[in-house]
Amino acid sequence: MCAALLVASAIGPAWAAELLYVRDAGCPYCRAFEAQVRPAYDKTPEGRRAPLRQVEFRGRDLEAFTLTRPVRYTPTFVLVEGGVEIGRIEGYPGDEFFWSRLGQLLESVP
């Protein structure tokens, strides 16, 4: 198998949706999300539909994605499909808000 196919199979289909979780180590809201939502996220229908990818706020990983605007706050959750932003959730006021807003975002993914 060629190297390009190996890379593509490792990251999934190019059209796959992902939820970028932009975090910062010193962010108390990030820690709350990590305690309240993250342990169960991968086991939910939402998590299977848009797997979570952790991205450090001060890192360069966001440069690989086409965003509508810069990320300025943590946590920020950016729903991308094929590397292009579909929508985002800025902040984390609690798990009910997160799940509700994520459900709304996922409605825009075919």
Side-chain angles (χ1 to χ4, degrees):
M1 188 179 295
C2 75
L5 288 176
L6 285 173
V7 171
S9 65
I11 62 172
W15 59 88
E18 289 183 290
L19 186 65
L20 306 179
Y21 162 43
V22 185
R23 67 174 303 278
D24 185 66
C27 171
Y29 300 102
C30 297
R31 287 193 298 273
F33 169 79
E34 290 167 6
Q36 297 169 0
V37 174
R38 185 146 189 197
Y41 184 84
D42 294 337
K43 301 170 190 152
T44 66
E46 295 88 349
R48 287 187 293 278
R49 188 160 179 210
L52 196 66
R53 179 189 289 206
Q54 181 173 305
V55 179
E56 294 300 320
F57 180 61
R58 300 190 198 301
R60 297 182 58 119
D61 292 340
L62 285 175
E63 294 173 7
F65 299 93
T66 304
L67 304 179
T68 59
R69 63 186 187 278
V71 173
R72 301 198 189 279
Y73 312 102
T74 59
T76 294
F77 306 90
V78 183
L79 183 63
V80 296
E81 185 172 28
V84 177
E85 179 174 347
I86 295 171
R88 66 174 65 190
I89 303 168
E90 294 178 315
Y92 178 76
D95 62 336
E96 289 181 26
F97 171 84
F98 172 81
W99 289 116
S100 172
R101 184 72 179 105
L102 180 59
Q104 293 169 353
L105 285 177
L106 287 173
E107 288 176 6
S108 62
V109 178

